[in-house]
Amino acid sequence: MKLVQIYACLCDPTRLRLLHVLAQGPLCVCHFQETLNEPQVKISKHLAYLRERGLVEVERAGNWMVYALPARPSRELKANLACLQDCAQEDPVFKRDLSRLKKLAPKFAETSPCGCS
Amino acid sequence: MKLVQIYACLCDPTRLRLLHVLAQGPLCVCHFQETLNEPQVKISKHLAYLRERGLVEVERAGNWMVYALPARPSRELKANLACLQDCAQEDPVFKRDLSRLKKLAPKFAETSPCGCS
DNA sequence: GAACTATATTCCTTTATGGGTATATAGAAC
DNA sequence: GTTCTATATACCCATAAAGGAATATAGTTC
């Protein structure tokens, strides 16, 4: 059952935050790091977990690894990502991540040659 | 984050099947057993897991424990249960459970004094 | 090639989980 | 109270996962 794989990806707070932020657009690891304020290993390992299960896609851009939501998500994935976005609206952690991302966006845009946000 | 708790409940195939079948109406343990064709311990333990996290409610009816979806589910739970029902439509396992439930329903109704379907 | 940067992987420890077997509990029936 | 039924719990084992520290890798720059 593929659904279970999806839910397994969703049952960790860090991964939820990664996916939630990703809905705003592709992002590289170091930008995740700053946005979520979590150590590199943690981010990188959870992204690997999501990648192995097809919840995110990666593309290299020089030294940067740019992660994004799948271009052609399955029906189940699309439904659950939408549900997550919906549920995340009220949660303080998600809101904080989002506002931090918005604040950092201009800095990200100028300092990094990677194509993300 | 309460959401994580919900997803933790959803990331096991047996629990998904329990919740999916429960959407049809309350059910007692032995009827779950027959419907999913799984051993009693397995059913009982997963129901306990769901109960501890508020995904199901229980009521005793004589010897039977009748499980049901929460009468007043949170916003997040309602959204995710709806999403599950939506995603389950195509899956063979879920479909099999449902057809087995429909076939057994009359038998359940006559043989058991418990109030479930 | 050497140094640097961004990211991934390895190793370790701790904790959670799933499944099974056996046993306990609570209520019903006698 | 005894027996039966339905369900829950305890115990054990194997596996997975999360987190951190240290190290490896790949690409860039000089």
Side-chain angles (χ1 to χ4, degrees), chain A residues 1-116:
Chain A
M1 253 190 290
K2 225 175 117 202
L3 249 189
V4 177
Q5 290 271 55
I6 295 179
Y7 288 129
C9 287
L10 298 178
C11 71
D12 174 273
T14 305
R15 287 196 293 265
L16 279 187
R17 294 169 69 197
L18 290 172
L19 291 169
H20 175 245
V21 161
L22 258 191
Q24 299 298 120
L27 222 56
C28 66
V29 179
C30 56
H31 292 171
F32 276 120
Q33 232 172 297
E34 275 197 83
T35 304
L36 304 198
N37 195 30
E38 295 283 355
Q40 184 258 326
V41 207
K42 197 168 172 178
I43 301 281
S44 189
K45 281 207 276 192
H46 281 298
L47 284 171
Y49 189 104
L50 293 172
R51 182 171 15 98
E52 288 160 8
R53 287 155 185 82
L55 283 251
V56 298
E57 292 172 349
V58 215
E59 207 167 333
R60 178 178 284 277
N63 269 335
W64 291 267
M65 299 296 276
V66 181
Y67 284 81
L69 295 179
R72 298 178 62 259
S74 70
R75 181 178 144 75
E76 292 93 346
L77 181 54
K78 204 189 304 189
N80 275 291
L81 288 178
C83 189
L84 170 60
Q85 288 304 122
D86 184 44
C87 294
Q89 290 185 350
E90 297 164 1
D91 188 285
V93 178
F94 289 127
K95 288 204 292 189
R96 174 158 48 86
D97 289 343
L98 219 57
S99 75
R100 197 146 33 181
L101 175 64
K102 295 226 162 97
K103 188 178 293 176
L104 289 169
K107 179 185 162 201
F108 288 170
E110 58 179 53
T111 63
S112 51
C114 69
C116 64

Side-chain angles (χ1 to χ4, degrees), chain B residues 29-30 40-41 44 63-65 67:
Chain B
V29 179
C30 56
Q40 184 258 327
V41 207
S44 189
N63 269 335
W64 291 267
M65 299 295 276
Y67 285 81

Side-chain angles (χ1 to χ4, degrees), chain B residues 80-99:
Chain B
N80 275 292
L81 288 178
C83 189
L84 170 59
Q85 287 304 121
D86 183 43
C87 294
Q89 289 185 350
E90 297 164 0
D91 188 284
V93 178
F94 289 126
K95 288 204 292 188
R96 175 158 47 86
D97 289 343
L98 218 57
S99 73

